[in-house]
Amino acid sequence: MKSTPSKFGKTPHQPSLWTRADALKVHADDPTTTQPLVSANFPVLNDEVFIWDTMPLRDIDGNITSVDGWSVIFTLTADRHPNDPQYLDQNGNYDVIRDWNDRHGRAKMYYWFSRTGKDWKLGGRVMAEGVSPTVREWAGTPILLNEQGEVDLYYTAVTPGATIVKVRGRVVTTEHGVSLVGFEKVKPLFEADGKMYQTEAQNAFWGFRDPWPFRDPKDGKLYMLFEGNVAGERGSHKVGKAEIGDVPPGYEDVGNSRFQTACVGIAVARDEDGDDWEMLPPLLTAVGVNDQTERPHFVFQDGKYYLFTISHTFTYADGVTGPDGVYGFVADSLFGPYVPLNGSGLVLGNPSSQPFQTYSHCVMPNGLVTSFIDSVPTDDTGTQIRIGGTEAPTVGIKIKGQQTFVVAEYDYGYIPPMLDVTLK
Ligand code: FRU
């Protein structure tokens, strides 16, 4: 770590807490916060690859941006192995569920382009094999920097370790499509420090990933959100009065919830290019509530900071639960205090009849929410499922004050641009 003094001198803020009391207000199947049922007859973008986390190209202010009329998205992607003996079951049939579940270990960044903001065409891999320093290329954010088409891709280099990195390249357009050039030199930015953010040595199940850089609309500085866990040895965290919140009698028992320690991290850039970063204390912690607050991102609206993050049922702590989906918090200034949207935090969850239908929601500033299809039941008992690995129908939400409402559903993978940049 560099020894440059902090821009702030001392800790600039106290993390806001997502409490157990807040989480007790989470209710699956409220129609205003539940994603419409995804049909098992969904179309698949490409049957040679699985895709999941989708990262639309955007500018540093968060606007989804097309270039010369072409929309561009990046996705975490893995090959499908229908003919690989390793993925055949005892009867010789392709075990697509196992192939899908193994995808994280071979995740690579791919890109896609479109004239219509849907019907995406596969562009290919962003980085050639051997460019990225680790096996796994995990989620992040592509930022269009200028009218020359330069793009900084921030992402997470995982296994060994987990490092927030960036790689610079350029988007090139023709009448027929889009290609990405460059993306040849990956620059490591930072790793968990063990003081604010938990390290692998402190917890083998630590999370440190998913960078989302942005310019604060109020102070104009460059920051970055990321997913972390609160520093400290696994099992050493305290779930006290503050983490419990104002619970009714009979709800004081926290069980083993000390093992759930998610947080939304933030770093500030020391330079304008975003090559030199300083981690700051988390914006939001979920100790005793949930172990993962993934892919954190903002929507800046009405002078407020809407902080969104995705989470799972299986990562909730003892005594609290909620659906897989996107959760949100709002504050009047960047460093909070943040309060949970809709009282609970839940913004868009899966219906309980299809608990794994979608995940990895990204709320865009136009209120559209993109996600991917994970698995959808194909019979009434839910024992037969169809694996997705493709784009889900986009959902429209309205954000009003401290509340959100599901108001619309659009086509599969519909990610329209908010701005178009003509390249020079
Ligand atoms: C969300 C996520 C990200 C991570 C990636 C790994 O779906 O868990 O946090 O970067 O998927 O595949």
Side-chain angles (χ1 to χ4, degrees), residues 7 16 31 48 69 128 139 158 229 240 254 260 292 316 325:
K7 272 198 175 175
S16 299
E48 291 181 1
V158 176
N229 288 98
V254 301
Q260 278 68 43
Q292 291 188 2
Y316 267 99

Side-chain angles (χ1 to χ4, degrees), residues 52-53 76 104 138-139 209-210 227 294-295 310 359-360:
W52 60 108
D53 296 10
L76 294 193
H104 301 284
W138 276 14
R209 55 182 182 259
D210 303 347
E227 171 189 2
E294 304 191 285
R295 297 197 68 198
I310 54 171
Y359 192 58
S360 209

